[in-house]
């Protein structure tokens, strides 16, 4: 295994969606899309693993931190498609070191987040193991045919990012202060996603989970475009490297037609133009005129 | 944590489904049920963890065995509600010991099973870790309001079981022969579930994943009933203990009104009457006249 992309591509080819399937979008975007017979909505599905020593450390995360981070990944994927979260399923393998109090605190923090978004915990699975293993599924809804995809950008669209980048990566290094707080209490941009879909006529969107450089490459590859960007807004104290390549930001990266007037804030979050798409080689990113490699996070890169 | 039931009950009380929610059934059955606006179908959702050293051993399971078992748990839950599998999501954390060949073989076996049922792999998540961790979500569909629940049994209903029990538990002990084959190539009873819902007017159903004794108790508790049973059909070579308490059978346990004529085989699988429900104390099971304790599998019992 050399990269996630290689395995994902193999799976995508192997698991072609047959014509007429109610699955209208399969592997390769932030969510799969399912269109039930007769339904007015398309349903968005995302599933995210949350594993001890991979996605969090027992030493640094409280139970509430863990619950919040576990649910944020999925909510952010729903936000990236402009959807409204409806329900979640949580599979949790309780580690030997956790007692009932820890588990209840984990679920309290997780369901507080879903409650804020109007979603309910509808089911799950329980198991036990040495280390904590968790998988969170989020289902969201969007009016039929209206989901924001990675693949809809057009040449010459303006590229925007929500919020400021690099805080989560900085927090992971320092384990202190506002940056650490940002790392363990991410704020999925559900309201922002809905607004950019309905009011800003966004053409494409992705959430920044593995770093701006890698996620912008993904958006460009899906849209068969290149991009030129400048410096994104940077979280106080973070470096340019943190902002360009740091993961777990859960900000939205999106494109709008050049003619759309984009407000500087939406749903309390700043929106900043960082560049535009071009008709160059698919996936090629120029940062301040220079080629930028996607250095974001890939689980298999070191293998 | 004293039992899965204790934690599940806490979650169920904490996560009440608000009136008017599209989630029409939450925690506590084989699947959650979601009813999209305007849809002709109810959607069934189940999520199941599949963890190295908990649900399988690297030493005993080939990649294809692992893929088949991982998907079977969810397909069996859909079968227990009389549903038709539509799509699956697979979250896989690839262990350090697995190479690309192993991973592809795992997915080939898994998707062969979903293909047989008419479902597609629509998405998932990839990660890495020391041990394999996997979570499989299956979505199934059933005409609106027609899902088979655990809670629908009436006093005096006949209790039936599909197939023969104890083979999987025997296989786990012997690691050889037909019993081992049964353990690593379970056959989710999707066609049987559909038939008992549509043709036999079943009142309640559950799949036997944690042992007949425990799963019958769950059905009885959900239906607020007691039950009296006799010996179930036993897999060749297995003991009565294997058949009563062994898990991972993936056979269906269901109730039908006393007046329904039940054929001895459905979709190529035998159906055997093993007793009836009574209006006694909820969850109390009499086996050949004696109280039977639910000795099936509970992840937290030993804590």
């Amino acid at each position: 295994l050399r990269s996630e992309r290689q395995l994902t591509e193999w799976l995508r080819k192997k698991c072609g969606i047959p014509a007429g399937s109610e699955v209208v979008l399969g592997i390769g975007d932030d969510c799969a899309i399912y269109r039930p017979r007769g339904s007015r909505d398309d349903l968005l599905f995302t599933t995210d693993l949350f594993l001890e020593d991979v996605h969090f450390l027992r030493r640094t995360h409280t139970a509430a931190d863990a619950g919040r981070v576990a649910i944020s990944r999925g909510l952010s994927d729903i936000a990236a498609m402009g959807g409204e979260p409806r329900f979640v399923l949580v599979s949790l393998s309780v580690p030997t070191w956790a007692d009932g109090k820890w588990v209840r605190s984990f679920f309290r923090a997780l369901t507080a987040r879903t409650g804020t978004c109007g979603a309910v915990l509808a089911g799950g699975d329980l198991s036990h193991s040495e280390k904590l293993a968790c998988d969170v599924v989020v289902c969201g809804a969007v009016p039929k045919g209206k989901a924001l995809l990675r693949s809809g950008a057009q040449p010459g669209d303006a590229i925007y990012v929500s919020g400021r980048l690099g805080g989560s990566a900085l927090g992971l290094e320092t384990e202190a202060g506002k940056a650490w707080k940002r790392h363990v209490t991410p704020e999925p941009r559900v309201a922002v996603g809905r607004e950019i879909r309905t009011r800003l006529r966004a053409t494409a969107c992705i959430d920044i989970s593995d770093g701006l450089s890698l996620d912008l490459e993904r958006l460009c590859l899906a849209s068969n475009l290149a991009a030129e960007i400048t410096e994104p807004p940077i979280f106080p104290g973070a470096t340019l490297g943190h902002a360009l390549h740091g993961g777990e930001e859960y900000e939205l990266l999106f494109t709008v037609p050049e003619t759309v007037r984009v407000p500087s804030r939406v749903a309390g979050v700043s929106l900043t133009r960082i560049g535009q798409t071009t008709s160059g080689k698919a996936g090629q990113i120029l940062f301040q005129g220079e080629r930028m490699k996607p250095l974001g996070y890939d689980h298999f890169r070191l293998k």
Side-chain angles (χ1 to χ4, degrees), chain A residues 199-271:
Chain A
R199 283 176 48 203
L200 302 187
R201 297 183 285 127
T203 51
C205 188
I206 188 171
D207 75 313
I208 301 179
S209 52
D210 294 327
L212 171 64
S213 59
L214 185 53
D215 289 315
L216 178 57
E217 183 192 51
R218 287 170 176 159
L219 186 149
C220 285
L221 284 171
S223 294
N224 200 26
L225 292 172
E228 296 172 355
I229 60 168
T230 55
E231 201 171 294
I234 301 181
F235 191 90
T239 64
L240 178 63
H242 290 142
L244 289 177
H245 308 300
E248 300 177 73
E249 285 293 336
Y250 306 117
E251 295 293 351
L252 299 182
L253 176 68
F254 61 97
T255 55
V256 296
E258 187 65 64
T259 52
V260 171
R261 220 189 122 263
V262 175
S264 62
R265 292 183 87 77
V266 152
V269 181
S270 63
L271 301 182

Side-chain angles (χ1 to χ4, degrees), chain A residues 39-46 71 74-75 78-79 82-89 113-123 137-144 190 194 197:
Chain A
S39 171
R40 281 176 276 169
D41 291 326
D42 281 346
L43 299 181
L44 315 173
F45 291 94
T46 173
I71 185 66
L75 291 177
I78 299 294
E84 311 215 6
R86 290 294 164 85
F87 71 87
V88 305
L89 307 171
R113 277 288 154 101
T114 53
T116 307
C117 301
V120 296
L121 176 63
V137 176
V138 185
C139 169
V142 73
K144 201 193 278 189
V190 174
R194 191 170 49 223
R197 174 176 65 75

Side-chain angles (χ1 to χ4, degrees), chain A residues 18-149:
Chain A
S21 171
E22 291 164 343
V23 176
V24 294
L25 186 69
I27 293 166
D29 212 306
D30 286 297
C31 301
I33 305 182
Y34 185 76
R35 182 171 294 166
R37 295 189 304 164
S39 171
R40 281 176 276 169
D41 291 326
D42 281 346
L43 299 181
L44 315 173
F45 291 94
T46 173
T47 179
D48 288 285
L49 288 164
F50 179 71
L51 305 172
E52 185 177 345
D53 293 344
V54 178
H55 300 97
F56 82 103
L57 300 175
R58 179 184 166 192
R59 176 178 64 77
T60 54
H61 288 62
T62 66
D65 291 339
R68 269 189 302 267
V69 177
I71 185 66
S72 292
R73 302 181 66 204
L75 291 177
S76 185
D77 285 327
I78 299 294
M81 289 192 132
E84 311 215 6
R86 290 294 164 85
F87 71 87
V88 305
L89 307 171
V90 177
S91 291
L92 176 67
S93 190
V94 176
T96 39
W97 52 261
D99 58 10
K101 190 181 158 201
W102 196 97
V103 173
R104 284 188 293 272
S105 175
F106 173 87
F107 273 111
R108 265 192 218 102
L110 189 155
T111 55
R113 277 288 154 101
T114 53
T116 307
C117 301
V120 296
L121 176 63
D125 188 30
L126 292 171
S127 184
H128 72 280
S129 52
E130 224 175 297
K131 291 183 185 181
L132 184 143
C134 181
D135 191 64
V136 177
V137 176
V138 185
C139 169
V142 73
K144 201 193 278 189
K146 298 295 188 191
L148 280 175
L149 308 183

Side-chain angles (χ1 to χ4, degrees), chain A residues 60 167-181 183 237-238 242:
Chain A
T60 54
S168 185
L170 172 65
L172 197 58
E173 276 178 25
T174 62
E175 293 182 14
K178 284 188 179 171
W180 176 249
K181 185 149 182 266
H183 185 72
H242 290 142

Side-chain angles (χ1 to χ4, degrees), chain A residues 10-24:
Chain A
W10 179 82
L11 280 167
R12 200 149 71 100
K13 277 178 195 146
K14 182 163 170 40
C15 304
I17 307 296
S21 171
E22 291 164 343
V23 176
V24 294

